[in-house]
Amino acid sequence: MPILPDWINFSFPTKIHFEVDCGFKMGNFVKNIGNRAVILSTQSELENMDEFSIIKTSLEKHIDGVILYDNIEKEPTLKELDTAAYFARISNANCIIGYGSYESLNMAKLVALLANNDAFAEDVFILKKNLRLKKPIPLILIPTHPVMGLECSPTATVYMDDDRTVRYYSNEFLFPEMVIADAKISSFMTSADVAKVGVGILAAAVDSILSKYSNELTNSSSLRAIEIIYKNLVPAIRDPKNLQYKNAIFGASLLVGMSHSSSSLGLCYALSLAASNLTNLDVFQAMSILLPHVMEYNLTSSAGKYVMIAKALDEDITNISVIEAAIKAVEGIRKIYIELKIPQRLSEYEVRKIDLPGIASLASSFPFLDSLPRELPKNEIETILVAAF
């Protein structure tokens, strides 16, 4: 499921500012994009208020108006998206800023698009009516921690109002105008937070490499992200206040986002998105648990790609067969898990076996499963989940 037209091998229009402790400069960046900004963040993700205050003060010095919209508690309903878009319109905002984590950045992407189009969220994201959409209000995203590249890719998740089932939406209009990545904002993260986010980035990189839409450009970006995570994740966990290591992890996330913007996420993300929607897992925890099991499933169909992953993990693959080298890639991932003491079973997070068919059914509904290297019947999705249970 390529997001871009199939004749485009690689495109990434987003501007990136990547610097530790740049909160006081943000108004200077934003003034070149818009002079009336609405900052969107969910209440649950409005973290590190000290840094947020520095950012807001900088914005107020350089542009004419800044309003914080934090009326939404967590993942927004369709009606809440419509309300936020209406607020942006009546505020005469010419710039939307998303501040936060996974849900806040998703929300900002969707609101920026809705606010510049005369349409309701349900029509655009759920019913997907044949509407001629205009470009969104310029969007700037400020992640409070890395979110597996989703901070800079043209994708978002949407929740049905009736049963809160998650849906996936992609459109090249969802590319943010700018992403500002500042590791200092993530100073609140614990070692456990760093571990699950880092392994989530690792899983997203593998997903992108395994996609049948990947190419040399996207693979290079994802493989570099894997190398960075391999070298910096353990030090970042041992010293979570060290911004050098966290900055490297932010960089790896951006590289993955560049990759799956033109390639695609795949099975691990599909399963994780479904699991986080139907259980108490968050999407990062689910990605970390499911990655080794997804890799084992795809091993024989993507052995050549696994050799590249093994090299990125610094595994010794000299004088062995391609399949043996591919197995080394899975072993390399498991070594990281053992060192970090990361749980490798869904049952360790109180996921029930009765939940697995529902997770499989929802995962099979996501369109990016079309990018997999081999056909995947629903019963085989369940088999992978049972193995991970």
Side-chain angles (χ1 to χ4, degrees), residues 148-185:
M148 307 180 297
L150 297 170
E151 64 267 46
C152 59
S153 64
T155 61
T157 49
V158 188
Y159 295 84
M160 302 281 283
D161 277 353
D162 50 359
D163 60 2
R164 305 302 292 137
T165 302
V166 69
R167 292 288 182 266
Y168 177 83
Y169 181 75
S170 61
N171 189 304
E172 58 187 305
F173 282 164
L174 295 187
F175 271 117
E177 183 82 9
M178 175 181 282
V179 174
I180 303 173
D182 179 358
K184 190 179 179 186
I185 297 173

Short mmCIF file of all heavy atoms in Angstrom, two decimals, residues 148-185:
data_model
loop_
_atom_site.label_atom_id
_atom_site.label_comp_id
_atom_site.label_asym_id
_atom_site.label_seq_id
_atom_site.Cartn_x
_atom_site.Cartn_y
_atom_site.Cartn_z
N MET A 148 8.49 6.19 16.51
CA MET A 148 8.71 5.18 15.46
C MET A 148 8.61 5.74 14.05
O MET A 148 8.24 5.06 13.12
CB MET A 148 7.71 4.02 15.61
CG MET A 148 7.69 3.39 16.97
SD MET A 148 6.51 2.02 17.10
CE MET A 148 4.95 2.85 16.79
N GLY A 149 8.94 7.02 13.89
CA GLY A 149 8.89 7.63 12.57
C GLY A 149 7.55 8.20 12.19
O GLY A 149 7.43 8.91 11.20
N LEU A 150 6.52 7.91 12.99
CA LEU A 150 5.19 8.41 12.67
C LEU A 150 5.09 9.92 12.84
O LEU A 150 4.15 10.54 12.35
CB LEU A 150 4.14 7.71 13.55
CG LEU A 150 4.06 6.20 13.32
CD1 LEU A 150 3.18 5.54 14.38
CD2 LEU A 150 3.51 5.88 11.94
N GLU A 151 6.09 10.52 13.51
CA GLU A 151 6.10 11.97 13.66
C GLU A 151 6.36 12.68 12.34
O GLU A 151 6.08 13.88 12.21
CB GLU A 151 7.14 12.41 14.70
CG GLU A 151 8.58 12.10 14.36
CD GLU A 151 9.05 10.77 14.92
OE1 GLU A 151 8.32 9.77 14.79
OE2 GLU A 151 10.16 10.72 15.46
N CYS A 152 6.89 11.98 11.35
CA CYS A 152 7.21 12.66 10.09
C CYS A 152 6.68 11.93 8.86
O CYS A 152 7.06 12.26 7.75
CB CYS A 152 8.72 12.89 9.97
SG CYS A 152 9.74 11.40 10.01
N SER A 153 5.78 10.98 9.05
CA SER A 153 5.22 10.26 7.91
C SER A 153 3.75 10.66 7.70
O SER A 153 3.08 11.10 8.64
CB SER A 153 5.32 8.75 8.12
OG SER A 153 4.53 8.36 9.23
N PRO A 154 3.24 10.52 6.49
CA PRO A 154 1.88 10.99 6.16
C PRO A 154 0.80 9.96 6.52
O PRO A 154 0.02 9.53 5.68
CB PRO A 154 1.95 11.22 4.65
CG PRO A 154 2.92 10.18 4.18
CD PRO A 154 3.94 10.02 5.29
N THR A 155 0.77 9.55 7.78
CA THR A 155 -0.16 8.53 8.24
C THR A 155 -0.76 8.94 9.58
O THR A 155 -0.16 9.72 10.32
CB THR A 155 0.55 7.17 8.43
OG1 THR A 155 1.57 7.32 9.42
CG2 THR A 155 1.18 6.69 7.13
N ALA A 156 -1.94 8.41 9.88
CA ALA A 156 -2.58 8.69 11.17
C ALA A 156 -3.58 7.60 11.48
O ALA A 156 -4.00 6.85 10.60
CB ALA A 156 -3.27 10.06 11.14
N THR A 157 -3.96 7.51 12.75
CA THR A 157 -5.01 6.58 13.16
C THR A 157 -6.23 7.37 13.59
O THR A 157 -6.13 8.48 14.12
CB THR A 157 -4.54 5.69 14.32
OG1 THR A 157 -3.96 6.50 15.35
CG2 THR A 157 -3.51 4.68 13.84
N VAL A 158 -7.40 6.78 13.33
CA VAL A 158 -8.69 7.40 13.62
C VAL A 158 -9.54 6.38 14.36
O VAL A 158 -9.42 5.17 14.11
CB VAL A 158 -9.41 7.80 12.30
CG1 VAL A 158 -10.65 8.62 12.58
CG2 VAL A 158 -8.47 8.57 11.39
N TYR A 159 -10.39 6.85 15.26
CA TYR A 159 -11.22 5.94 16.05
C TYR A 159 -12.70 6.15 15.72
O TYR A 159 -13.19 7.28 15.68
CB TYR A 159 -10.98 6.17 17.55
CG TYR A 159 -9.59 5.83 17.97
CD1 TYR A 159 -8.55 6.75 17.83
CD2 TYR A 159 -9.27 4.57 18.47
CE1 TYR A 159 -7.25 6.44 18.19
CE2 TYR A 159 -7.97 4.24 18.83
CZ TYR A 159 -6.97 5.18 18.68
OH TYR A 159 -5.68 4.86 19.04
N MET A 160 -13.38 5.04 15.50
CA MET A 160 -14.82 5.08 15.26
C MET A 160 -15.53 5.60 16.52
O MET A 160 -15.14 5.26 17.64
CB MET A 160 -15.34 3.68 14.94
CG MET A 160 -14.69 3.03 13.73
SD MET A 160 -15.34 3.65 12.18
CE MET A 160 -16.91 2.77 12.11
N ASP A 161 -16.57 6.40 16.34
CA ASP A 161 -17.27 6.95 17.50
C ASP A 161 -18.07 5.91 18.26
O ASP A 161 -18.20 5.98 19.48
CB ASP A 161 -18.20 8.09 17.07
CG ASP A 161 -17.46 9.41 16.93
OD1 ASP A 161 -16.27 9.47 17.31
OD2 ASP A 161 -18.06 10.39 16.46
N ASP A 162 -18.62 4.92 17.55
CA ASP A 162 -19.54 3.99 18.21
C ASP A 162 -18.83 2.95 19.07
O ASP A 162 -19.14 2.77 20.24
CB ASP A 162 -20.46 3.30 17.18
CG ASP A 162 -19.70 2.70 16.01
OD1 ASP A 162 -18.45 2.84 15.98
OD2 ASP A 162 -20.34 2.10 15.13
N ASP A 163 -17.84 2.27 18.52
CA ASP A 163 -17.18 1.19 19.28
C ASP A 163 -15.69 1.45 19.54
O ASP A 163 -15.01 0.60 20.10
CB ASP A 163 -17.35 -0.14 18.54
CG ASP A 163 -16.72 -0.12 17.15
OD1 ASP A 163 -16.13 0.92 16.77
OD2 ASP A 163 -16.83 -1.13 16.44
N ARG A 164 -15.20 2.65 19.15
CA ARG A 164 -13.80 3.05 19.37
C ARG A 164 -12.80 2.14 18.66
O ARG A 164 -11.64 2.05 19.05
CB ARG A 164 -13.47 3.10 20.87
CG ARG A 164 -14.38 3.98 21.70
CD ARG A 164 -14.41 5.43 21.23
NE ARG A 164 -13.14 6.09 21.46
CZ ARG A 164 -12.55 6.90 20.58
NH1 ARG A 164 -13.10 7.11 19.39
NH2 ARG A 164 -11.42 7.50 20.86
N THR A 165 -13.24 1.45 17.62
CA THR A 165 -12.33 0.64 16.83
C THR A 165 -11.41 1.56 16.02
O THR A 165 -11.86 2.54 15.43
CB THR A 165 -13.10 -0.30 15.88
OG1 THR A 165 -13.95 -1.12 16.65
CG2 THR A 165 -12.15 -1.16 15.08
N VAL A 166 -10.14 1.20 15.98
CA VAL A 166 -9.17 2.05 15.31
C VAL A 166 -9.21 1.81 13.79
O VAL A 166 -9.42 0.69 13.32
CB VAL A 166 -7.75 1.79 15.87
CG1 VAL A 166 -7.24 0.41 15.47
CG2 VAL A 166 -6.77 2.86 15.42
N ARG A 167 -9.03 2.88 13.05
CA ARG A 167 -8.89 2.82 11.60
C ARG A 167 -7.61 3.55 11.22
O ARG A 167 -7.12 4.41 11.95
CB ARG A 167 -10.10 3.47 10.91
CG ARG A 167 -11.40 2.68 11.07
CD ARG A 167 -11.39 1.42 10.24
NE ARG A 167 -12.62 0.67 10.35
CZ ARG A 167 -12.85 -0.31 11.18
NH1 ARG A 167 -11.88 -0.67 12.03
NH2 ARG A 167 -13.99 -0.94 11.21
N TYR A 168 -7.10 3.21 10.05
CA TYR A 168 -5.81 3.75 9.60
C TYR A 168 -6.06 4.63 8.39
O TYR A 168 -6.84 4.27 7.49
CB TYR A 168 -4.90 2.58 9.24
CG TYR A 168 -3.55 2.94 8.69
CD1 TYR A 168 -2.50 3.26 9.53
CD2 TYR A 168 -3.30 2.93 7.32
CE1 TYR A 168 -1.24 3.56 9.04
CE2 TYR A 168 -2.05 3.22 6.81
CZ TYR A 168 -1.02 3.54 7.68
OH TYR A 168 0.23 3.83 7.18
N TYR A 169 -5.44 5.81 8.36
CA TYR A 169 -5.64 6.73 7.25
C TYR A 169 -4.28 7.24 6.78
O TYR A 169 -3.42 7.59 7.59
CB TYR A 169 -6.50 7.91 7.68
CG TYR A 169 -6.78 8.91 6.57
CD1 TYR A 169 -7.70 8.62 5.56
CD2 TYR A 169 -6.12 10.12 6.52
CE1 TYR A 169 -7.95 9.52 4.53
CE2 TYR A 169 -6.37 11.04 5.50
CZ TYR A 169 -7.28 10.72 4.50
OH TYR A 169 -7.53 11.61 3.49
N SER A 170 -4.09 7.25 5.48
CA SER A 170 -2.85 7.78 4.91
C SER A 170 -3.17 8.67 3.72
O SER A 170 -4.12 8.41 2.97
CB SER A 170 -1.92 6.64 4.48
OG SER A 170 -2.54 5.86 3.48
N ASN A 171 -2.41 9.72 3.59
CA ASN A 171 -2.61 10.65 2.50
C ASN A 171 -1.37 11.54 2.45
O ASN A 171 -0.87 11.96 3.49
CB ASN A 171 -3.86 11.51 2.75
CG ASN A 171 -4.25 12.36 1.55
OD1 ASN A 171 -3.45 13.15 1.05
ND2 ASN A 171 -5.49 12.21 1.10
N GLU A 172 -0.88 11.83 1.26
CA GLU A 172 0.33 12.65 1.17
C GLU A 172 0.12 14.05 1.75
O GLU A 172 1.09 14.73 2.12
CB GLU A 172 0.85 12.73 -0.26
CG GLU A 172 -0.12 13.28 -1.28
CD GLU A 172 0.44 13.14 -2.69
OE1 GLU A 172 1.57 13.63 -2.94
OE2 GLU A 172 -0.24 12.56 -3.52
N PHE A 173 -1.14 14.49 1.91
CA PHE A 173 -1.42 15.77 2.55
C PHE A 173 -1.10 15.74 4.05
O PHE A 173 -1.09 16.79 4.70
CB PHE A 173 -2.87 16.17 2.35
CG PHE A 173 -3.19 16.75 0.99
CD1 PHE A 173 -4.49 16.85 0.54
CD2 PHE A 173 -2.18 17.19 0.16
CE1 PHE A 173 -4.79 17.37 -0.70
CE2 PHE A 173 -2.45 17.72 -1.10
CZ PHE A 173 -3.77 17.82 -1.53
N LEU A 174 -0.89 14.56 4.63
CA LEU A 174 -0.59 14.47 6.05
C LEU A 174 0.89 14.67 6.37
O LEU A 174 1.28 14.67 7.54
CB LEU A 174 -1.04 13.11 6.61
CG LEU A 174 -2.55 12.82 6.61
CD1 LEU A 174 -2.83 11.53 7.35
CD2 LEU A 174 -3.33 13.97 7.24
N PHE A 175 1.73 14.82 5.36
CA PHE A 175 3.12 15.18 5.63
C PHE A 175 3.15 16.50 6.41
O PHE A 175 2.58 17.50 5.97
CB PHE A 175 3.90 15.39 4.34
CG PHE A 175 4.55 14.15 3.78
CD1 PHE A 175 4.16 13.67 2.53
CD2 PHE A 175 5.55 13.50 4.48
CE1 PHE A 175 4.77 12.54 1.99
CE2 PHE A 175 6.17 12.37 3.94
CZ PHE A 175 5.77 11.88 2.71
N PRO A 176 3.80 16.55 7.57
CA PRO A 176 3.94 17.85 8.24
C PRO A 176 4.86 18.78 7.46
O PRO A 176 5.74 18.32 6.74
CB PRO A 176 4.55 17.48 9.60
CG PRO A 176 5.20 16.16 9.39
CD PRO A 176 4.42 15.45 8.32
N GLU A 177 4.64 20.06 7.63
CA GLU A 177 5.53 21.04 7.01
C GLU A 177 6.92 20.97 7.65
O GLU A 177 7.93 21.08 6.97
CB GLU A 177 4.94 22.45 7.19
CG GLU A 177 5.73 23.56 6.55
CD GLU A 177 5.44 23.71 5.07
OE1 GLU A 177 4.51 23.07 4.56
OE2 GLU A 177 6.17 24.50 4.42
N MET A 178 6.93 20.78 8.98
CA MET A 178 8.20 20.73 9.71
C MET A 178 8.07 19.83 10.92
O MET A 178 7.00 19.75 11.54
CB MET A 178 8.62 22.14 10.15
CG MET A 178 9.88 22.17 11.02
SD MET A 178 10.34 23.85 11.56
CE MET A 178 11.11 24.46 10.06
N VAL A 179 9.14 19.12 11.25
CA VAL A 179 9.26 18.40 12.51
C VAL A 179 10.44 18.98 13.26
O VAL A 179 11.52 19.14 12.69
CB VAL A 179 9.46 16.89 12.28
CG1 VAL A 179 9.73 16.19 13.62
CG2 VAL A 179 8.25 16.26 11.61
N ILE A 180 10.21 19.30 14.53
CA ILE A 180 11.28 19.81 15.38
C ILE A 180 11.56 18.75 16.44
O ILE A 180 10.72 18.47 17.29
CB ILE A 180 10.91 21.15 16.05
CG1 ILE A 180 10.55 22.19 14.97
CG2 ILE A 180 12.06 21.65 16.91
CD1 ILE A 180 9.99 23.48 15.52
N ALA A 181 12.73 18.14 16.36
CA ALA A 181 13.09 17.05 17.27
C ALA A 181 14.14 17.54 18.26
O ALA A 181 15.27 17.82 17.89
CB ALA A 181 13.63 15.86 16.47
N ASP A 182 13.73 17.64 19.52
CA ASP A 182 14.60 18.13 20.58
C ASP A 182 14.61 17.11 21.71
O ASP A 182 13.62 16.94 22.43
CB ASP A 182 14.08 19.48 21.08
CG ASP A 182 14.92 20.07 22.22
OD1 ASP A 182 15.88 19.41 22.65
OD2 ASP A 182 14.59 21.18 22.67
N ALA A 183 15.72 16.42 21.87
CA ALA A 183 15.81 15.35 22.88
C ALA A 183 15.61 15.87 24.30
O ALA A 183 15.23 15.12 25.19
CB ALA A 183 17.14 14.63 22.77
N LYS A 184 15.85 17.15 24.54
CA LYS A 184 15.70 17.69 25.89
C LYS A 184 14.24 17.62 26.35
O LYS A 184 13.97 17.49 27.55
CB LYS A 184 16.20 19.14 25.95
CG LYS A 184 16.29 19.66 27.38
CD LYS A 184 16.81 21.08 27.43
CE LYS A 184 16.85 21.58 28.87
NZ LYS A 184 17.21 23.01 28.94
N ILE A 185 13.31 17.71 25.41
CA ILE A 185 11.89 17.63 25.77
C ILE A 185 11.56 16.27 26.38
O ILE A 185 10.65 16.14 27.20
CB ILE A 185 11.01 17.89 24.53
CG1 ILE A 185 11.25 19.31 24.00
CG2 ILE A 185 9.53 17.70 24.84
CD1 ILE A 185 10.54 19.60 22.69
#
